[in-house]
Structures are given as C-alpha cells and as structure tokens.
Amino acid sequence: MIVTCEWVTVSSFIAPPQAETDFEAIVAADVARWHEAAREAGLVGENHVRLRREGDEVMVEISPELDAAFTPEQTLWRAV
C-alpha cells in the first residue's frame, strides 16, 4: 500500500457571511460521514478526519492513511 504524507481535501465549502445553523449542520454531517468511513476502514475517525478553516473556506480533510484505504494501489500494466 502506498501512503503519501499529505492530507487530502475531500469537501470544500464557502461559509456564509453570517453564522448559519444550517451551514454548520451540513459541515458537521460531512465530517460525521467521513468519521464513519474511517471506522469502516478500521481507523479512528478523530485521528483521520479534520476540519480546516481558512478565511471564508471550510475544508474537510482526510489523512493519507484513510485516503489509501479508498484508493487502490496502482499496478503496472501494458496495452497490447
């Protein structure tokens, strides 16, 4: 299994100018979905899913280990 060192952004949202409960609920649901995916992959969600905010952008990111659990290893092949 090949694992990179960088976290992968799986969702990106632009936050509304004013705090909105519905927006935060959407972000929380996405984080929860990835926590569940981590558990299904045998990983602890809290250690492999993070929420990052930069300016008005909100990003859900997964660890390289969680990304590798969903990304099949590339093999060499040759077209005939």
Side-chain angles (χ1 to χ4, degrees):
M1 176 186 315
I2 297 173
V3 178
T4 63
C5 297
E6 295 185 29
W7 284 65
V8 177
T9 301
V10 290
S11 301
S12 177
F13 307 92
I14 299 299
Q18 302 295 324
E20 292 186 20
T21 305
D22 291 342
F23 173 76
E24 294 302 327
I26 290 168
V27 172
D30 196 54
V31 169
R33 179 174 68 91
W34 283 103
H35 277 216
E36 180 61 28
R39 281 189 288 280
E40 289 174 4
L43 302 169
V44 177
E46 290 75 18
N47 297 337
H48 294 276
V49 180
R50 70 182 182 190
L51 186 63
R52 187 164 55 98
R53 296 177 188 259
E54 283 187 15
D56 63 348
E57 187 175 9
V58 179
M59 293 153 282
V60 178
E61 300 177 327
I62 60 173
S63 71
E65 294 83 7
L66 181 54
D67 182 49
F70 295 100
T71 306
E73 186 172 336
Q74 297 297 312
T75 59
L76 296 177
W77 62 275
R78 184 177 70 182
V80 183

